[in-house]
Amino acid sequence: MKAKKLELADFKLKSVSVEFRYDTAYLLWDKAGALWSNLKPYFPDLKNIETNPNLTSFRAGDNYQLHVELDKSHITAFHTKLNDVIEPFENFLTTVRKTLEIKSYNRLGFRAIYEKTSNSREESFNIFDSVHSLPYPQGKFFNIDGKIYNPELSYRWEDDKFGLRVLINTPEKSVRFDAPIDIDELKSIDVKKYFVTVDLDYYTKAPTTPGQIKLSEWVKQIIHFINRDSNDLIGI
Amino acid sequence: MTETNIIQFDSYKTGTDNVTQLVAQIKDETEEKSYETAPPMDTASIYSNAGAVTSHISRALVLLEEGKVYLSNAIAASSNNDEIDSDNEVQHFYALLPELFCCRDIGDGFGAIINAIYNAITNQLDSDILTLGQLNKISQLVIRLQSEPFLEIDQAIELIIELEDTDLNIKPQHLEQITGILSGE
Protein backbone atom coordinates (compact mmCIF):
# COMPACT_ATOMS: atom_id res chain seq x y z
CA MET A 1 0.00 0.00 0.00
CA LYS A 2 1.41 3.38 -0.96
CA ALA A 3 1.98 5.83 1.86
CA LYS A 4 0.59 9.32 1.45
CA LYS A 5 2.86 11.63 -0.51
CA LEU A 6 5.06 13.46 1.92
CA GLU A 7 6.37 16.99 2.04
CA LEU A 8 9.64 18.16 3.48
CA ALA A 9 7.74 19.45 6.49
CA ASP A 10 7.01 15.80 7.35
CA PHE A 11 10.73 15.22 7.82
CA LYS A 12 12.88 16.35 10.69
CA LEU A 13 16.09 18.29 10.10
CA LYS A 14 18.86 16.00 11.28
CA SER A 15 21.93 18.06 10.47
CA VAL A 16 23.05 21.02 8.45
CA SER A 17 26.61 21.77 7.31
CA VAL A 18 28.65 24.30 5.48
CA GLU A 19 31.91 23.28 3.85
CA PHE A 20 34.41 25.48 2.10
CA ARG A 21 37.43 24.34 0.13
CA TYR A 22 40.50 26.39 -0.68
CA ASP A 23 44.07 26.14 -1.93
CA THR A 24 46.32 24.44 0.57
CA ALA A 25 46.60 26.69 3.63
CA TYR A 26 49.93 25.78 5.18
CA LEU A 27 49.36 28.50 7.77
CA LEU A 28 47.31 25.87 9.58
CA TRP A 29 50.60 24.40 10.78
CA ASP A 30 51.58 27.74 12.36
CA LYS A 31 48.23 29.05 13.51
CA ALA A 32 46.14 26.11 14.65
CA GLY A 33 46.25 27.29 18.25
CA ALA A 34 45.41 30.88 17.34
CA LEU A 35 42.58 29.67 15.11
CA TRP A 36 40.79 27.78 17.86
CA SER A 37 41.48 30.54 20.36
CA ASN A 38 39.82 32.94 17.96
CA LEU A 39 36.84 30.60 17.64
CA LYS A 40 36.36 30.11 21.35
CA PRO A 41 34.39 33.35 21.92
CA TYR A 42 31.82 32.08 19.40
CA PHE A 43 31.84 28.49 20.65
CA PRO A 44 32.66 28.68 24.38
CA ASP A 45 32.35 24.95 25.05
CA LEU A 46 34.93 23.76 22.53
CA LYS A 47 36.40 20.32 23.08
CA ASN A 48 39.22 18.90 21.01
CA ILE A 49 38.38 15.67 19.25
CA GLU A 50 41.39 15.13 17.02
CA THR A 51 44.52 17.07 16.19
CA ASN A 52 47.27 16.30 13.76
CA PRO A 53 49.32 18.60 11.50
CA ASN A 54 46.83 18.46 8.64
CA LEU A 55 43.59 18.36 10.59
CA THR A 56 42.04 19.86 13.70
CA SER A 57 38.63 18.73 14.81
CA PHE A 58 36.53 20.04 17.67
CA ARG A 59 33.12 19.63 19.12
CA ALA A 60 31.12 22.46 20.70
CA GLY A 61 28.54 21.24 23.15
CA ASP A 62 25.99 18.81 21.84
CA ASN A 63 25.25 20.78 18.71
CA TYR A 64 28.34 21.53 16.62
CA GLN A 65 31.21 19.72 15.03
CA LEU A 66 33.97 21.90 13.62
CA HIS A 67 36.66 20.61 11.37
CA VAL A 68 39.60 22.46 9.78
CA GLU A 69 42.02 20.84 7.33
CA LEU A 70 44.77 22.08 5.08
CA ASP A 71 42.47 22.47 2.10
CA LYS A 72 38.93 22.40 3.46
CA SER A 73 36.90 23.17 6.52
CA HIS A 74 33.39 22.42 7.60
CA ILE A 75 30.97 23.01 10.42
CA THR A 76 27.98 20.78 11.12
CA ALA A 77 25.07 21.56 13.39
CA PHE A 78 22.75 18.96 14.91
CA HIS A 79 19.42 19.24 16.72
CA THR A 80 18.82 22.69 15.31
CA LYS A 81 16.71 24.78 12.97
CA LEU A 82 17.95 26.19 9.69
CA ASN A 83 17.69 29.83 10.69
CA ASP A 84 19.59 29.24 13.95
CA VAL A 85 22.81 28.19 12.22
CA ILE A 86 23.34 31.28 10.10
CA GLU A 87 25.32 33.32 12.61
CA PRO A 88 27.50 30.47 13.97
CA PHE A 89 28.32 29.36 10.44
CA GLU A 90 29.24 32.91 9.43
CA ASN A 91 31.48 33.30 12.50
CA PHE A 92 33.23 30.00 11.74
CA LEU A 93 33.92 30.78 8.09
CA THR A 94 35.07 34.34 8.76
CA THR A 95 37.41 33.29 11.57
CA VAL A 96 38.98 30.44 9.58
CA ARG A 97 39.30 32.62 6.50
CA LYS A 98 40.99 35.47 8.35
CA THR A 99 43.29 33.29 10.46
CA LEU A 100 44.48 31.12 7.58
CA GLU A 101 44.49 34.11 5.18
CA ILE A 102 42.37 32.32 2.62
CA LYS A 103 42.21 34.31 -0.59
CA SER A 104 39.60 32.35 -2.49
CA TYR A 105 37.18 29.46 -2.17
CA ASN A 106 37.38 26.64 -4.69
CA ARG A 107 34.03 25.31 -3.57
CA LEU A 108 31.33 26.32 -1.14
CA GLY A 109 28.76 23.80 -0.09
CA PHE A 110 25.65 23.82 2.05
CA ARG A 111 24.15 20.49 3.04
CA ALA A 112 20.94 19.73 4.87
CA ILE A 113 19.97 16.20 5.85
CA TYR A 114 16.36 15.47 6.76
CA GLU A 115 15.09 12.21 8.14
CA LYS A 116 11.87 10.50 8.97
CA THR A 117 11.73 7.42 11.16
CA SER A 118 9.73 4.40 10.16
CA ASN A 119 8.85 1.17 11.95
CA SER A 120 10.22 -1.33 9.47
CA ARG A 121 12.06 -1.87 6.22
CA GLU A 122 8.74 -2.33 4.48
CA GLU A 123 7.42 0.98 5.78
CA SER A 124 10.64 2.73 4.70
CA PHE A 125 10.15 1.29 1.22
CA ASN A 126 6.53 2.49 1.12
CA ILE A 127 7.55 5.99 2.19
CA PHE A 128 10.31 6.06 -0.44
CA ASP A 129 7.90 4.74 -3.07
CA SER A 130 5.36 7.45 -2.27
CA VAL A 131 8.05 10.06 -2.89
CA HIS A 132 9.70 8.59 -5.96
CA SER A 133 8.17 5.54 -7.59
CA LEU A 134 10.73 3.56 -9.57
CA PRO A 135 10.19 0.65 -12.00
CA TYR A 136 10.74 -2.22 -9.60
CA PRO A 137 11.08 -5.78 -10.94
CA GLN A 138 8.40 -8.36 -10.23
CA GLY A 139 9.06 -12.13 -10.24
CA LYS A 140 12.00 -14.42 -9.57
CA PHE A 141 15.53 -13.31 -10.51
CA PHE A 142 18.89 -14.80 -9.56
CA ASN A 143 16.78 -17.57 -8.10
CA ILE A 144 15.39 -15.11 -5.57
CA ASP A 145 11.65 -14.55 -5.30
CA GLY A 146 12.23 -11.45 -3.30
CA LYS A 147 11.17 -7.94 -2.46
CA ILE A 148 12.87 -4.59 -2.84
CA TYR A 149 14.53 -3.23 0.25
CA ASN A 150 16.68 -0.13 0.83
CA PRO A 151 15.99 1.71 -2.42
CA GLU A 152 18.14 4.73 -3.10
CA LEU A 153 17.85 7.64 -5.49
CA SER A 154 20.74 10.00 -6.18
CA TYR A 155 21.31 12.62 -8.83
CA ARG A 156 22.88 16.02 -9.45
CA TRP A 157 20.98 19.02 -10.77
CA GLU A 158 23.56 21.41 -12.22
CA ASP A 159 24.40 24.31 -14.44
CA ASP A 160 27.86 25.75 -15.03
CA LYS A 161 27.89 27.73 -11.76
CA PHE A 162 25.89 25.82 -9.17
CA GLY A 163 24.85 22.31 -8.41
CA LEU A 164 22.49 20.43 -6.16
CA ARG A 165 23.11 16.81 -5.23
CA VAL A 166 19.99 15.02 -4.08
CA LEU A 167 20.11 11.72 -2.23
CA ILE A 168 17.01 9.96 -0.94
CA ASN A 169 17.65 6.66 0.76
CA THR A 170 16.42 4.31 3.47
CA PRO A 171 19.19 3.59 5.95
CA GLU A 172 18.91 1.22 8.86
CA LYS A 173 20.83 1.91 12.03
CA SER A 174 21.53 -0.33 14.97
CA VAL A 175 22.34 1.01 18.40
CA ARG A 176 23.70 -1.40 20.92
CA PHE A 177 25.01 -0.53 24.35
CA ASP A 178 25.80 -3.08 27.02
CA ALA A 179 25.48 -1.27 30.31
CA PRO A 180 27.80 -2.20 33.17
CA ILE A 181 25.96 -4.47 35.57
CA ASP A 182 26.95 -2.54 38.65
CA ILE A 183 25.60 0.86 37.56
CA ASP A 184 21.89 1.04 38.25
CA GLU A 185 21.40 4.29 36.36
CA LEU A 186 22.38 2.81 33.02
CA LYS A 187 20.28 0.40 31.02
CA SER A 188 21.40 -1.69 28.09
CA ILE A 189 20.19 -0.66 24.67
CA ASP A 190 19.71 -2.86 21.64
CA VAL A 191 17.53 -1.18 19.07
CA LYS A 192 17.28 -1.14 15.33
CA LYS A 193 15.95 1.97 13.71
CA TYR A 194 14.67 2.59 10.22
CA PHE A 195 14.75 5.89 8.39
CA VAL A 196 14.02 7.62 5.15
CA THR A 197 16.51 10.43 4.60
CA VAL A 198 16.56 13.34 2.18
CA ASP A 199 20.05 14.74 1.70
CA LEU A 200 20.38 18.06 -0.14
CA ASP A 201 23.85 19.36 -0.97
CA TYR A 202 23.95 22.73 -2.74
CA TYR A 203 27.37 23.87 -3.97
CA THR A 204 29.27 26.29 -6.14
CA LYS A 205 31.16 25.03 -9.16
CA ALA A 206 33.33 28.06 -9.81
CA PRO A 207 35.88 29.83 -7.61
CA THR A 208 34.70 32.70 -5.43
CA THR A 209 36.54 35.32 -3.40
CA PRO A 210 35.82 36.36 0.18
CA GLY A 211 34.70 39.74 -1.13
CA GLN A 212 31.92 38.00 -3.03
CA ILE A 213 30.67 35.91 -0.17
CA LYS A 214 28.68 36.86 2.86
CA LEU A 215 27.76 33.46 4.16
CA SER A 216 24.68 34.65 6.01
CA GLU A 217 23.20 36.13 2.83
CA TRP A 218 24.00 33.00 0.81
CA VAL A 219 22.62 30.61 3.41
CA LYS A 220 19.40 32.62 3.82
CA GLN A 221 18.92 32.34 0.09
CA ILE A 222 19.50 28.57 0.10
CA ILE A 223 16.99 28.16 2.93
CA HIS A 224 14.52 30.05 0.76
CA PHE A 225 15.25 27.64 -2.15
CA ILE A 226 14.72 24.61 0.07
CA ASN A 227 11.39 25.91 1.31
CA ARG A 228 10.27 26.98 -2.13
CA ASP A 229 11.52 24.23 -4.44
CA SER A 230 12.03 20.96 -2.58
CA ASN A 231 8.49 19.73 -2.99
CA ASP A 232 8.58 20.25 -6.74
CA LEU A 233 12.15 19.33 -7.61
CA ILE A 234 12.59 16.10 -5.71
CA GLY A 235 8.99 15.00 -5.68
CA ILE A 236 8.73 15.39 -1.97
CA MET B 1 37.33 6.52 -10.90
CA THR B 2 36.94 3.90 -13.66
CA GLU B 3 39.92 2.13 -15.22
CA THR B 4 39.80 1.04 -18.84
CA ASN B 5 42.43 -1.17 -20.47
CA ILE B 6 43.24 -0.09 -24.00
CA ILE B 7 45.40 -2.44 -25.98
CA GLN B 8 47.16 -0.77 -28.85
CA PHE B 9 48.01 -2.97 -31.80
CA ASP B 10 50.28 -0.56 -33.68
CA SER B 11 53.27 -2.81 -33.22
CA TYR B 12 51.25 -5.85 -34.29
CA LYS B 13 50.49 -4.21 -37.61
CA THR B 14 54.17 -3.72 -38.33
CA GLY B 15 54.83 -7.37 -37.67
CA THR B 16 56.63 -7.11 -34.36
CA ASP B 17 55.66 -9.07 -31.27
CA ASN B 18 55.51 -6.03 -29.02
CA VAL B 19 52.07 -4.95 -28.02
CA THR B 20 51.72 -1.68 -26.27
CA GLN B 21 49.23 -1.84 -23.51
CA LEU B 22 47.82 1.45 -22.34
CA VAL B 23 45.76 1.87 -19.26
CA ALA B 24 43.55 4.89 -19.50
CA GLN B 25 42.23 6.24 -16.27
CA ILE B 26 38.95 7.88 -16.82
CA LYS B 27 38.15 10.17 -14.04
CA ASP B 28 34.57 10.76 -13.21
CA GLU B 29 33.68 14.30 -14.16
CA THR B 30 32.21 15.09 -10.80
CA GLU B 31 32.04 18.53 -9.36
CA GLU B 32 35.17 17.71 -7.35
CA LYS B 33 37.58 19.54 -9.66
CA SER B 34 35.21 21.70 -11.69
CA TYR B 35 36.70 24.85 -10.13
CA GLU B 36 40.00 24.20 -11.92
CA THR B 37 38.54 25.04 -15.32
CA ALA B 38 35.50 27.11 -14.44
CA PRO B 39 35.62 30.88 -14.92
CA PRO B 40 35.29 32.92 -11.72
CA MET B 41 31.78 33.27 -10.37
CA ASP B 42 29.92 36.49 -11.08
CA THR B 43 28.50 37.99 -7.92
CA ALA B 44 25.06 38.73 -9.32
CA SER B 45 24.37 35.03 -9.89
CA ILE B 46 25.27 34.17 -6.29
CA TYR B 47 22.55 36.49 -4.98
CA SER B 48 20.04 36.17 -7.79
CA ASN B 49 17.27 35.46 -5.28
CA ALA B 50 18.59 37.51 -2.40
CA GLY B 51 15.72 39.95 -2.77
CA ALA B 52 13.36 37.25 -1.57
CA VAL B 53 15.03 37.12 1.82
CA THR B 54 16.93 40.34 2.24
CA SER B 55 16.76 43.43 0.12
CA HIS B 56 20.06 45.26 0.33
CA ILE B 57 22.50 43.17 -1.64
CA SER B 58 20.10 42.76 -4.55
CA ARG B 59 19.26 46.46 -4.60
CA ALA B 60 22.91 47.47 -4.29
CA LEU B 61 23.93 45.31 -7.26
CA VAL B 62 21.16 46.81 -9.38
CA LEU B 63 22.21 50.36 -8.45
CA LEU B 64 25.88 49.62 -9.07
CA GLU B 65 25.07 48.29 -12.52
CA GLU B 66 23.10 51.43 -13.26
CA GLY B 67 25.94 53.57 -11.92
CA LYS B 68 28.49 51.72 -14.04
CA VAL B 69 26.53 52.63 -17.17
CA TYR B 70 26.37 56.33 -16.23
CA LEU B 71 30.10 56.39 -15.52
CA SER B 72 30.87 54.60 -18.77
CA ASN B 73 28.87 57.27 -20.63
CA ALA B 74 30.63 60.03 -18.71
CA ILE B 75 34.04 58.59 -19.60
CA ALA B 76 33.07 58.36 -23.27
CA ALA B 77 31.83 61.96 -23.27
CA SER B 78 34.92 63.19 -21.44
CA SER B 79 37.15 61.39 -23.94
CA ASN B 80 35.35 63.34 -26.68
CA ASN B 81 35.88 66.61 -24.77
CA ASP B 82 32.11 66.88 -24.23
CA GLU B 83 32.20 68.26 -20.69
CA ILE B 84 28.51 69.04 -20.50
CA ASP B 85 27.41 65.51 -21.38
CA SER B 86 30.04 64.07 -19.09
CA ASP B 87 28.88 66.19 -16.18
CA ASN B 88 25.29 65.28 -16.93
CA GLU B 89 26.07 61.57 -16.63
CA VAL B 90 28.02 62.18 -13.43
CA GLN B 91 25.01 63.93 -11.95
CA HIS B 92 22.86 60.90 -12.71
CA PHE B 93 25.42 58.67 -11.04
CA TYR B 94 25.70 61.02 -8.06
CA ALA B 95 21.93 60.75 -7.51
CA LEU B 96 22.30 56.99 -6.92
CA LEU B 97 24.81 57.35 -4.12
CA PRO B 98 22.46 58.18 -1.21
CA GLU B 99 20.44 55.04 -1.89
CA LEU B 100 23.65 53.03 -2.24
CA PHE B 101 24.75 54.41 1.12
CA CYS B 102 21.49 53.09 2.60
CA CYS B 103 22.73 49.62 1.67
CA ARG B 104 25.90 50.06 3.74
CA ASP B 105 24.98 47.24 6.11
CA ILE B 106 26.34 45.02 3.34
CA GLY B 107 29.72 45.70 4.91
CA ASP B 108 32.10 48.30 6.29
CA GLY B 109 34.18 48.26 3.10
CA PHE B 110 31.15 48.90 0.95
CA GLY B 111 29.95 51.79 3.09
CA ALA B 112 33.40 53.37 3.24
CA ILE B 113 33.87 53.33 -0.53
CA ILE B 114 30.41 54.72 -1.28
CA ASN B 115 30.95 57.43 1.32
CA ALA B 116 34.34 58.32 -0.13
CA ILE B 117 32.98 58.53 -3.68
CA TYR B 118 30.07 60.69 -2.52
CA ASN B 119 32.33 63.12 -0.68
CA ALA B 120 34.81 63.18 -3.55
CA ILE B 121 32.17 64.15 -6.11
CA THR B 122 30.51 66.63 -3.74
CA ASN B 123 33.79 68.41 -3.08
CA GLN B 124 34.92 68.37 -6.71
CA LEU B 125 31.70 69.61 -8.24
CA ASP B 126 31.84 72.69 -6.04
CA SER B 127 34.68 73.94 -8.17
CA ASP B 128 35.11 71.87 -11.30
CA ILE B 129 33.99 68.84 -13.29
CA LEU B 130 35.61 65.45 -12.85
CA THR B 131 38.63 64.74 -15.00
CA LEU B 132 38.94 61.65 -17.17
CA GLY B 133 41.40 60.12 -14.73
CA GLN B 134 39.07 60.72 -11.80
CA LEU B 135 36.12 59.25 -13.70
CA ASN B 136 38.15 56.15 -14.56
CA LYS B 137 39.14 55.63 -10.95
CA ILE B 138 35.56 56.02 -9.67
CA SER B 139 34.40 53.62 -12.35
CA GLN B 140 37.03 51.07 -11.25
CA LEU B 141 35.78 51.31 -7.68
CA VAL B 142 32.19 50.78 -8.74
CA ILE B 143 33.15 47.75 -10.82
CA ARG B 144 35.15 46.38 -7.90
CA LEU B 145 32.16 46.80 -5.57
CA GLN B 146 29.95 45.04 -8.10
CA SER B 147 32.32 42.12 -8.11
CA GLU B 148 33.17 42.10 -4.38
CA PRO B 149 30.51 43.95 -2.39
CA PHE B 150 31.73 42.38 0.85
CA LEU B 151 35.21 43.89 0.77
CA GLU B 152 37.00 44.13 4.07
CA ILE B 153 37.60 47.64 5.41
CA ASP B 154 41.37 47.44 4.95
CA GLN B 155 40.94 46.57 1.28
CA ALA B 156 38.49 49.47 0.96
CA ILE B 157 40.98 51.86 2.53
CA GLU B 158 43.60 50.93 -0.07
CA LEU B 159 41.10 51.69 -2.82
CA ILE B 160 40.10 54.97 -1.21
CA ILE B 161 43.77 56.01 -1.10
CA GLU B 162 43.93 55.32 -4.83
CA LEU B 163 40.91 57.61 -5.20
CA GLU B 164 42.66 60.33 -3.25
CA ASP B 165 45.71 59.95 -5.50
CA THR B 166 43.60 61.32 -8.36
CA ASP B 167 43.45 64.66 -6.46
CA LEU B 168 39.96 64.05 -5.14
CA ASN B 169 39.14 65.19 -1.61
CA ILE B 170 37.25 62.45 0.17
CA LYS B 171 36.76 64.26 3.44
CA PRO B 172 33.18 65.34 4.16
CA GLN B 173 32.40 69.00 3.73
CA HIS B 174 32.54 71.14 6.85
CA LEU B 175 34.66 68.54 8.63
CA GLU B 176 37.40 71.05 9.24
CA GLN B 177 34.92 73.53 10.66
CA ILE B 178 33.44 70.92 12.96
CA THR B 179 36.83 69.75 14.16
CA GLY B 180 37.77 73.37 14.70
CA ILE B 181 34.72 73.92 16.84
CA LEU B 182 35.36 70.77 18.81
CA SER B 183 38.97 71.74 19.44
CA GLY B 184 37.93 75.18 20.62
CA GLU B 185 39.33 77.23 17.71
Side-chain angles (χ1 to χ4, degrees):
Chain A
M1 184 179 74
K2 276 203 175 198
K4 82 167 177 67
K5 192 166 175 65
L6 297 177
E7 295 187 343
L8 201 59
D10 295 309
F11 286 65
K12 182 182 161 191
L13 181 65
K14 181 183 174 212
S15 68
V16 56
S17 311
V18 154
E19 181 198 65
F20 45 104
R21 300 181 192 173
Y22 36 85
D23 289 342
T24 310
Y26 297 110
L27 267 180
L28 179 64
W29 293 338
D30 303 293
K31 293 196 170 183
L35 169 63
W36 293 101
S37 295
N38 292 339
L39 283 168
K40 203 154 167 56
Y42 303 115
F43 304 95
D45 44 359
L46 275 180
K47 273 189 194 162
N48 179 231
I49 304 296
E50 181 179 352
T51 303
N52 64 55
N54 297 345
L55 178 157
T56 52
S57 185
F58 280 71
R59 178 177 162 156
D62 290 331
N63 291 99
Y64 290 96
Q65 283 180 353
L66 305 94
H67 189 92
V68 178
E69 293 184 44
L70 277 181
D71 59 0
K72 60 176 178 278
S73 297
H74 69 79
I75 177 169
T76 303
F78 299 88
H79 320 299
T80 187
K81 295 177 188 165
L82 283 176
N83 286 322
D84 291 346
V85 304
I86 295 172
E87 191 179 327
F89 283 12
E90 173 104 64
N91 291 335
F92 176 71
L93 180 140
T94 303
T95 307
V96 172
R97 192 243 318 156
K98 283 183 177 177
T99 309
L100 301 186
E101 298 178 18
I102 293 167
K103 300 287 186 254
S104 71
Y105 307 116
N106 296 331
R107 180 191 190 272
L108 284 167
F110 176 91
R111 186 177 182 188
I113 301 177
Y114 295 82
E115 72 179 15
K116 181 174 173 59
T117 55
S118 73
N119 296 314
S120 65
R121 297 170 97 192
E122 289 77 15
E123 187 179 339
S124 289
F125 171 80
N126 288 336
I127 292 170
F128 180 97
D129 193 44
S130 79
V131 172
H132 251 293
S133 198
L134 297 174
Y136 303 112
Q138 306 283 340
K140 194 170 181 177
F141 302 95
F142 287 85
N143 227 33
I144 304 169
D145 190 6
K147 293 181 184 178
I148 298 280
Y149 291 111
N150 303 121
E152 187 170 305
L153 174 70
S154 174
Y155 61 87
R156 294 176 190 272
W157 180 258
E158 288 187 348
D159 61 17
D160 57 346
K161 294 187 179 126
F162 298 98
L164 173 72
R165 192 205 60 142
V166 178
L167 171 65
I168 306 172
N169 63 358
T170 55
E172 302 171 15
K173 295 178 189 172
S174 296
V175 178
R176 181 165 172 182
F177 170 66
D178 292 323
I181 296 172
D182 57 339
I183 301 179
D184 295 333
E185 290 80 4
L186 292 177
K187 301 283 179 242
S188 295
I189 300 170
D190 188 358
V191 298
K192 192 157 183 145
K193 292 188 150 190
Y194 306 93
F195 301 93
V196 179
T197 64
V198 176
D199 184 340
L200 304 173
D201 185 3
Y202 179 83
Y203 48 87
T204 61
K205 291 182 63 180
T208 53
T209 62
Q212 289 180 293
I213 297 297
K214 186 156 185 176
L215 192 66
S216 54
E217 299 288 341
W218 191 59
V219 168
K220 281 182 203 170
Q221 200 177 228
I222 297 168
I223 293 171
H224 172 70
F225 291 154
I226 291 174
N227 293 332
R228 186 189 71 188
D229 296 342
S230 297
N231 290 347
D232 292 328
L233 173 66
I234 59 178
I236 185 168
Chain B
M1 197 162 26
T2 307
E3 285 192 354
T4 300
N5 291 330
I6 298 174
I7 301 174
Q8 198 165 23
F9 287 97
D10 298 43
S11 300
Y12 177 75
K13 284 181 185 173
T14 61
T16 66
D17 291 332
N18 293 326
V19 175
T20 304
Q21 191 166 37
L22 299 174
V23 175
Q25 287 186 324
I26 303 168
K27 288 187 179 178
D28 282 334
E29 286 298 308
T30 68
E31 41 82 18
E32 288 283 328
K33 297 283 187 180
S34 64
Y35 62 85
E36 287 182 343
T37 53
M41 184 82 74
D42 67 288
T43 306
S45 61
I46 299 173
Y47 304 104
S48 56
N49 268 82
V53 291
T54 178
S55 62
H56 289 166
I57 183 61
S58 286
R59 185 64 187 142
L61 291 175
V62 166
L63 290 170
L64 287 169
E65 177 63 26
E66 203 177 327
K68 188 177 82 172
V69 171
Y70 287 134
L71 287 168
S72 177
N73 294 341
I75 289 167
S78 182
S79 300
N80 291 330
N81 297 314
D82 189 342
E83 294 182 348
I84 294 174
D85 253 1
S86 175
D87 185 63
N88 198 36
E89 297 293 332
V90 168
Q91 295 292 339
H92 281 101
F93 169 71
Y94 184 65
L96 299 175
L97 292 173
E99 192 176 350
L100 273 166
F101 190 69
C102 290
C103 301
R104 65 192 180 279
D105 66 347
I106 287 171
D108 291 340
F110 181 93
I113 289 176
I114 295 298
N115 190 46
I117 293 174
Y118 179 83
N119 290 331
I121 296 177
T122 303
N123 293 331
Q124 183 72 359
L125 292 182
D126 271 354
S127 55
D128 205 350
I129 59 169
L130 293 171
T131 67
L132 185 59
Q134 292 165 343
L135 286 169
N136 277 320
K137 181 51 66 178
I138 293 172
S139 179
Q140 283 173 22
L141 263 59
V142 166
I143 290 169
R144 182 72 184 269
L145 278 184
Q146 256 195 316
S147 171
E148 295 184 283
F150 305 109
L151 279 179
E152 296 284 337
I153 186 64
D154 49 354
Q155 292 173 296
I157 288 170
E158 286 178 12
L159 294 170
I160 292 168
I161 290 171
E162 290 179 18
L163 187 65
E164 280 189 293
D165 288 343
T166 64
D167 292 328
L168 284 168
N169 179 9
I170 60 135
K171 294 189 182 73
Q173 286 187 326
H174 314 303
L175 177 64
E176 287 176 7
Q177 293 162 330
I178 293 171
T179 53
I181 292 168
L182 290 174
S183 63
E185 287 175 13

